[in-house]
Structures are given as structure tokens and as C-alpha cells.
Amino acid sequence: MPTSHAHEDLLVGPTTFMGLPFSRSAEGAGAAILGCPFDCGTHPFRIGARQGPEAIRQQSNLVRRFTSDGVDVDILAEMAAIDAGDVALVPGRIEEAFAAIEAAAGGLFAGGAAVVGFGGDGSVSLPLLRAAAPYHPGLVVLHVDSHSDSHPVDADHPYDAATQFTHAAREQRVLASSSWHVGLRGTTFRGGVIGHTHEVGYNTMTMDAFQAEGHEAAMAELNAALAGRPVYLSFDMDVFDPSCAPGVCTPAWGGFSAREGLRFIRDLKGLNIVGADVNTVSPPHDVGGMTAFLAAAVTFEILTLIWHTRHPA
């Protein structure tokens, strides 16, 4: 049938985050989304975070590009942000998958982009940090999670979703003494976890401590501690209460509401955010896509922080 449209206008490309251009090259891009469809498969019964990147992209159709009560410009267009697709990997081949994630993210960092990785379970933070560290000397991490993921390492099975930040500190990918774990709460499989996190060198702020200190004071403390440093923001969706984010790998009651969690991110404005990840969305355990939708909103807020980093005026 005759048409006045150009042929390319009749074709739809791959689903990307908020309709971003798909590109494997970060040349000229201020930010790049990178899907890491991987989970270690070690959780007793909640397996599914490997499907997280696809779900976040799908739900991102509900996120609009303008924030009339905030940054009322198209930050994605101004940063020439891209979606680089997913890393080609095989879940279950842990070390091979980590190497692939590190290489893929490293290529994007080399192009000058701030990489925002989509998990996957929290273990993907390690290869993403390995990729970021060479490009950002003195890197620190702000890890927002109900768990520290800084457990002791089992020499026979060194990699899982509870040890990634132990590895990052031991490998000196991050400066642990200036890095923070925020939102810690709930039960664990072993004792002494927070104590071990301190032994590795990290600072911690439990959810109870955050609430007792109050939002304004706690954010002032964190911003003062992280100011002037290159910051990698790792955001685990189980920091939210399961009432608003049920579809995560390890839910824990007593977390942030959606409003509190989004406000937390917004109040990091002014920090030098050089990379990030949003992880543990597990679609098989989600309800109506609400966790993936919230993760998409979290990602947009993180991209806004990156925009602020690159447009400080």
C-alpha cells in the first residue's frame, strides 16, 4: 500500500529505557544504560532477577521526561543518553559473566558516559565497580540496601550476592573508609554481618539510625562525607518496603516508602555521581510490575543526579 512515510519511520527498534536511542557506542553520550541480566542462582527460592532489565525497560514507558516541580528540561536529550542493551552472558557461569559485564561497562566508561547498570541481583555491582574504578580514581560507593552485601567470603565459592562489596574493598576498587552502606535492617543467615562490614572498612547507617537521626540530618551527614569524591551509587530495590516493592530477591519489612526513597535520591544533588546500578528487581515475584515501575522512577532520578553532575550551574 502506498505511503508517504520513509521506510525507516515504519520500523520499531528494540525496547529501550524511556525510548532512549539504542547504541553500542558511548561516544558523545553523557549517560548509558546497560542491562546485566544475571543472578547467581544461589538464593534458596527467589530466582528471577536476571529478568529485571527487561521489566524495568517495559515499565519505563510510564515515566515521562519532564519534571515540572524540579528539573523541567529533557535531561535525557541534553545528556545524549543512550541505552546500550544487555550484556551477552550466561547466568550460572559467574566468573565469565562478571568478565563480560566488566568489559561491556568498561567500553562505555571509556567513551565518557556515566554507566547505569540494571541488575540482575546485587552481585553485578562488583564487575560494574571493576569497570568504573580505572576511570575514576578515588572512587567511593554509596550502597543503599537493606543488606550490606559485605559478608565474609567463602574461599570455595567466592562469588554471590552477599560478598560483592567485600571483594570491591579487598581489590581496592573503592575507598572503603569513605564509602557507606545505608538502610541496613532485617534478618540475615549469619551473625556479625555489620561488624564484618566495619572490619572491611565501610561506614554504615542502619534504617533505624537513619530514621532516628531524621532525614535532613542524615542526608547532611552523607553529603558532607561524600562531597568532592567520585561517587558510585548502588541502589538495591529491597531498601524499599515490600509494600511498595514486593518483586525483589530478598524483601525485608520496615524499608523506605516510595516517597522516602525517591526523596533520598533527590537529596544527593550536588554529589559527583559517576556511575550507578539499580538491582534485584525480580519480575516473577512482582505484583503488576510495580517494583519494576518504581525501579524505572529510581533510574530517572539517578539520571537527573548525573545531569546535575554535568550541569552544576
Side-chain angles (χ1 to χ4, degrees):
M1 182 172 66
T3 177
S4 59
H5 295 287
H7 184 255
E8 58 268 22
D9 293 336
L10 299 172
L11 303 174
V12 178
T15 300
T16 63
F17 181 77
M18 292 183 67
L20 289 175
F22 170 72
S23 176
R24 293 184 175 91
S25 171
E27 194 68 33
I33 300 295
L34 179 66
C36 304
F38 171 85
D39 57 58
C40 293
T42 56
H43 193 281
F45 62 93
R46 280 212 169 195
I47 304 301
R50 64 190 66 178
Q51 301 172 36
E54 178 184 2
I56 297 171
R57 288 188 178 103
Q58 288 176 344
Q59 293 298 322
S60 73
N61 288 324
L62 294 169
V63 184
R64 278 71 170 181
R65 290 201 176 200
F66 295 87
T67 310
S68 58
D69 62 340
V71 183
D72 199 18
V73 298
D74 188 344
I75 61 162
L76 301 183
E78 289 206 358
M79 286 195 296
I82 63 166
D83 189 328
D86 287 350
V87 180
L89 54 80
V90 178
R93 297 179 181 175
I94 297 177
E95 295 189 29
E96 290 180 21
F98 280 11
I101 293 170
E102 180 182 354
L108 298 173
F109 278 115
V115 178
V116 180
F118 285 166
D121 67 21
S123 68
V124 303
S125 297
L126 178 59
L128 290 169
L129 284 167
R130 286 172 171 170
Y135 298 96
H136 300 287
L139 186 67
V140 300
V141 65
L142 174 57
H143 176 222
V144 189
D145 192 345
S146 62
H147 313 92
S148 75
D149 295 342
S150 301
H151 291 217
V153 174
D154 181 344
D156 294 326
H157 305 284
Y159 296 113
D160 55 42
T163 58
Q164 59 268 29
F165 293 104
T166 301
H167 288 291
R170 288 181 176 178
E171 296 173 11
Q172 298 184 330
R173 308 290 179 166
V174 299
L175 185 61
S177 61
S178 297
S179 297
W180 287 77
H181 299 271
V182 179
L184 310 182
R185 68 185 191 279
T187 58
T188 57
F189 283 115
R190 65 192 308 165
V193 171
I194 291 181
H196 185 266
T197 302
H198 293 157
E199 290 174 14
V200 174
Y202 290 109
N203 302 285
T204 63
M205 183 181 293
T206 66
M207 184 62 75
D208 283 346
F210 185 93
Q211 298 294 344
E213 191 170 350
H215 178 93
E216 298 292 346
M219 296 308 300
E221 179 181 355
L222 291 170
N223 278 294
L226 298 169
R229 302 179 183 276
V231 178
Y232 182 97
L233 175 58
S234 179
F235 201 97
D236 190 312
M237 289 298 293
D238 72 26
V239 77
F240 287 108
D241 194 79
S243 58
C244 59
V248 296
C249 298
T250 313
W253 291 107
F256 281 143
S257 68
R259 181 187 298 112
E260 291 167 338
L262 295 174
R263 183 186 178 197
F264 180 97
I265 301 171
R266 290 170 189 151
D267 285 352
L268 297 173
K269 176 184 174 181
L271 294 182
N272 179 21
I273 307 297
V274 299
D277 62 64
V278 179
N279 61 64
T280 72
V281 172
S282 184
H285 307 98
D286 207 358
V287 178
M290 60 191 293
T291 308
F293 178 23
L294 183 53
V298 163
T299 301
F300 182 71
E301 296 295 341
I302 291 173
L303 289 167
T304 301
L305 289 181
I306 294 169
W307 182 85
H308 280 300
T309 294
R310 293 171 180 253
H311 299 79

